[in-house]
Amino acid sequence: MICTFVTQEELSLKSGVGIRFVRDLEQGKESLRLDKVNQLLDFFNYEMVATSKTNNQ
């Protein structure tokens, strides 16, 4: 497995989101736009989707 690292700036440029967004995401900001999260995740060939909660009672 090859592991490469990218800087926040490189990730911002390559994914098309702003550097501020990348920093906010990395720092755990609780309110982020899902479309921007998916734009960044697309760089890694992933996406985040909303699903219904399951009731395990």
Side-chain angles (χ1 to χ4, degrees):
M1 173 188 246
I2 297 174
C3 184
T4 56
F5 297 94
V6 296
T7 66
Q8 291 176 334
E9 292 83 7
E10 290 171 327
L11 182 57
S12 170
L13 288 171
K14 292 179 180 186
S15 66
V17 300
I19 185 67
R20 174 71 184 260
F21 180 84
V22 173
R23 290 178 177 155
D24 286 347
L25 178 65
E26 186 175 274
Q27 293 174 5
K29 183 176 179 184
E30 294 184 13
S31 58
L32 294 169
R33 290 180 40 183
L34 186 58
D35 63 325
K36 292 289 183 183
V37 171
N38 277 328
Q39 185 176 343
L40 188 140
L41 286 174
D42 187 57
F43 176 73
F44 300 103
N45 201 32
Y46 283 91
E47 78 175 344
M48 182 176 289
V49 296
T51 62
S52 63
K53 292 183 178 181
T54 58
N55 188 354
N56 293 328
Q57 294 180 4

